[in-house]
Amino acid sequence: MAFDLEKYAETSERVTWEDLDFESFRDQPLDADVLRALRYMCDVEYHTSCYLRDLLVTRSHRKDEARGFMTTWNREEFWHGEALSAVLKEHGMHVDYDELKAKRIKLGWQLALGTVTQAAGSSMVGNDFIAVHMTWGAANELSAVAAYRRLSSMVEHPALSPLLERIAQQETRHVAFYTTQARAKLDDNDRAQMFVRLAMTKLWKPVGSGIMDDDEVRHAMHHLFAGQAPTVDKLDQRVQKFPGLEDATIFRTAFEKMGVPL
Amino acid sequence: MTHTPSRAHQAPALPDGYLGGRLYSVAGETITLLTSFDVDAYTHAARGRIRVEASGVDLGGPGVRDDLAFLWRLDSAALSEARAFLATWTGNEARITAFVATWAYERLWLGHAVRDLLTADGSPLPEPLRRASLGTRARGFYVERGLPFVAPVWTSIVGESVTVGHMARLAIQEASLQAAYSAVLPRLGGEAARVVTEIIGRRDEMIRFFGLEAAARISRSPQEARMAKLFLLPSWRPLRIVGVPDRDEARAMASLFRTPEDRARLASADRPIRELLAIRPTGWHHGSSTPTPGLLRRQHRGVRS
């Protein structure tokens, strides 16, 4: 799947929700479990700037195409956070500057030293670390698409479902970028494949891990993917198309480790 | 991100752990510095591609082309600048990261517009011929390899006070870039002049945001004023990428700022902030009245334990 960065950046629009009937949340409010999962997604989207800084301290930031993508991606994800926070606000949940800053402060050294860890990995592995980032990013975005679509179909809400579909649609473009980049770095590169395999099979966890508390990760994944073996297996099949990951089952393994019944 | 109250009528059951609709922060104890700049409006009004009509571009002599190439390299480096401050405490400041999401996007298109001018005649982007000096290479090595290890640690100890330095530098850098484009503008005509005029105009909001942030922080506390002075030592130059000089810098600076008026405009880029530092008025801010202390403090005001 080719990826035209210039076209992607030029056609990038913020996700919109002003045309959706948010009044419907008055008569059809979301339940606490959905709100909790939605809050998880909202935080992960807003904290993209934290993922961005981890990417930027590695050699990924030197690549022109990666820089252009990361700029546009960061902005789109910010707007996903804005859209989801607007839904949460309808339910009396505030995700504003104070709330986001407080979360980052609470993460403390874990967040600050995450940058150091990324930089160390990049220094040790060299250019092949970009392959790790791109494959990792592809897996994260694949799971984000699946999560938004799953939640959309679960709630069947006149305002939330179309909003989640819009967000999922934008995330598919992120999948395309990461997939194209990862394949290009992995093709005919045994060393990169070795590092990627190591990272994805031993270290990868669902998107949001590291930023969100373990209980929140577990709740979100359980809420969205429990009993969803076919969806999870499809995700694994997508990842298995990457050179070097032909027999990897990163999603099934991660969910089983968390105790999510598939 | 607005701060209007919720419109929920029948209060739905919230997940566990919420207090006043908040999970991590304390209602009524803001930890965010606010200024008169409307970040929400800025993010909504993000400006994208500047279309360049290639057939109408005539850059004249090689001097103009090389000057624009120098500015293109600076304008394209927004993410390198962002890398330098997102890796620090400043990355915790959600209002700033919200602004930066749009600022970096706008800078991307400013850089692309200059690139499109330079390649309008089908020629490749010019590369500076001079070799990088030892000092440049050393600074570049630090920014590339050392900064990601050093900056997160020391700024996490210092806390929010460090943010004023980044804001002041970016305010001055944006104003200096605006001065540089204004200096080259009289030597341009037609489509190139139109594009550069647009680039100059788009910088106004960027300068305003960073300038207001820096000014409010300088006036908020003595430690932030001291930090701003530290970041603005005479050795720092605004028209560099995270302090690393371009290989064409000496030629480009002499060529761009060739008249006394041009040099005066560049000199005035940092005047508002330096004047503030000299006077340091107090109490000119909204929101949090003190910078958030660093991570050696176990508890932070406004953050739920």
Side-chain angles (χ1 to χ4, degrees), chain B residues 4-136:
Chain B
T4 52
S6 161
R7 294 189 294 110
H9 275 183
Q10 51 189 64
L14 298 190
D16 291 342
Y18 281 80
L19 204 62
R22 293 170 182 279
L23 198 51
Y24 307 115
S25 57
V26 180
E29 283 188 36
T30 186
I31 51 175
T32 304
L33 177 87
L34 302 173
T35 69
S36 60
F37 190 93
D38 188 343
V39 173
D40 197 42
Y42 177 72
T43 56
H44 272 84
R47 293 156 293 183
R49 172 160 232 152
I50 301 172
R51 297 225 160 267
V52 175
E53 185 55 57
S55 60
V57 176
D58 179 8
L59 297 181
V64 173
R65 187 172 165 74
D66 289 341
D67 289 353
L68 280 178
F70 169 74
L71 294 174
W72 166 71
R73 288 190 290 276
L74 293 178
D75 240 342
S76 305
L79 266 197
S80 298
E81 296 292 345
R83 171 183 186 267
F85 62 79
L86 287 178
T88 72
W89 176 281
T90 301
N92 293 336
E93 298 298 323
R95 186 167 174 273
I96 291 172
T97 55
F99 174 85
V100 163
T102 299
W103 167 77
Y105 173 78
E106 290 201 330
R107 278 278 300 256
L108 174 78
W109 289 115
L110 298 189
H112 277 10
V114 186
R115 178 203 65 184
D116 291 349
L117 288 178
L118 290 165
T119 57
D121 62 357
S123 57
L125 288 161
E127 280 289 327
L129 298 174
R130 285 173 56 90
R131 283 173 61 89
S133 69
L134 189 61
T136 299

Side-chain angles (χ1 to χ4, degrees), chain A residues 97-142:
Chain A
Y97 301 134
D98 279 348
E99 187 75 347
L100 294 171
K101 179 177 173 179
K103 172 64 181 171
R104 291 172 190 170
I105 291 172
K106 280 175 81 74
L107 283 166
W109 288 107
Q110 181 190 338
L111 190 60
L113 296 180
T115 313
V116 175
T117 310
Q118 291 290 325
S122 179
S123 292
M124 283 189 289
V125 175
N127 282 334
D128 289 334
F129 204 67
I130 298 173
V132 176
H133 264 157
M134 295 302 160
T135 313
W136 194 290
N140 282 354
E141 299 288 351
L142 276 169

Side-chain angles (χ1 to χ4, degrees), chain B residues 212-236:
Chain B
L212 284 169
E213 280 287 318
R217 290 170 188 278
I218 286 166
S219 65
R220 182 170 66 166
S221 70
Q223 68 261 37
E224 286 173 297
R226 282 195 295 273
M227 190 61 78
K229 282 181 182 166
L230 187 67
F231 270 72
L232 299 180
L233 287 174
S235 56
W236 178 77

Side-chain angles (χ1 to χ4, degrees), chain B residues 45-286:
Chain B
R47 293 156 293 183
R49 172 160 232 152
I50 301 172
R51 297 225 160 267
V52 175
E53 185 55 57
S55 60
V57 176
D58 179 8
L59 297 181
V64 173
R65 187 172 165 74
D66 289 341
D67 289 353
L68 280 178
F70 169 74
L71 294 174
W72 166 71
R73 288 190 290 276
L74 293 178
D75 240 342
S76 305
L79 266 197
S80 298
E81 296 292 345
R83 171 183 186 267
F85 62 79
L86 287 178
T88 72
W89 176 281
T90 301
N92 293 336
E93 298 298 323
R95 186 167 174 273
I96 291 172
T97 55
F99 174 85
V100 163
T102 299
W103 167 77
Y105 173 78
E106 290 201 330
R107 278 278 300 256
L108 174 78
W109 289 115
L110 298 189
H112 277 10
V114 186
R115 178 203 65 184
D116 291 349
L117 288 178
L118 290 165
T119 57
D121 62 357
S123 57
L125 288 161
E127 280 289 327
L129 298 174
R130 285 173 56 90
R131 283 173 61 89
S133 69
L134 189 61
T136 299
R137 278 181 281 164
R139 174 70 192 172
F141 183 82
Y142 166 73
V143 169
E144 189 61 37
R145 300 293 182 87
L147 184 143
F149 293 95
V150 177
V153 176
W154 82 264
T155 62
S156 293
I157 293 169
V158 171
E160 190 185 346
S161 298
V162 76
T163 301
V164 68
H166 297 129
M167 297 298 101
R169 280 185 172 182
L170 286 162
I172 296 169
Q173 185 181 70
E174 290 293 356
S176 301
L177 278 165
Q178 192 177 52
Y181 281 110
S182 299
V184 80
L185 184 60
R187 291 189 280 147
L188 301 172
E191 180 69 350
R194 183 193 69 78
V195 170
V196 167
T197 302
E198 176 74 18
I199 290 171
I200 291 167
R202 286 193 183 191
R203 292 214 118 82
D204 287 344
E205 286 296 88
M206 302 174 182
I207 295 167
R208 204 164 73 79
F209 173 82
F210 291 123
L212 284 169
E213 280 287 318
R217 290 170 188 278
I218 286 166
S219 65
R220 182 170 66 166
S221 70
Q223 68 261 37
E224 286 173 297
R226 282 195 295 273
M227 190 61 78
K229 282 181 182 166
L230 187 67
F231 270 72
L232 299 180
L233 287 174
S235 56
W236 178 77
R237 297 278 189 280
L239 292 178
R240 290 178 175 176
I241 302 168
V242 200
V244 181
D246 187 270
R247 281 184 287 166
D248 194 32
E249 181 186 79
R251 187 213 60 78
M253 293 296 282
S255 174
L256 280 165
F257 302 103
R258 55 183 63 186
T259 71
E261 292 76 26
D262 295 334
R263 289 191 287 277
R265 197 183 288 127
L266 177 64
S268 70
D270 66 354
R271 190 168 299 139
I273 288 176
R274 293 205 184 275
E275 284 178 357
L276 259 180
L277 281 170
I279 305 164
R280 209 184 84 69
T282 54
W284 179 29
H285 64 269
H286 304 287

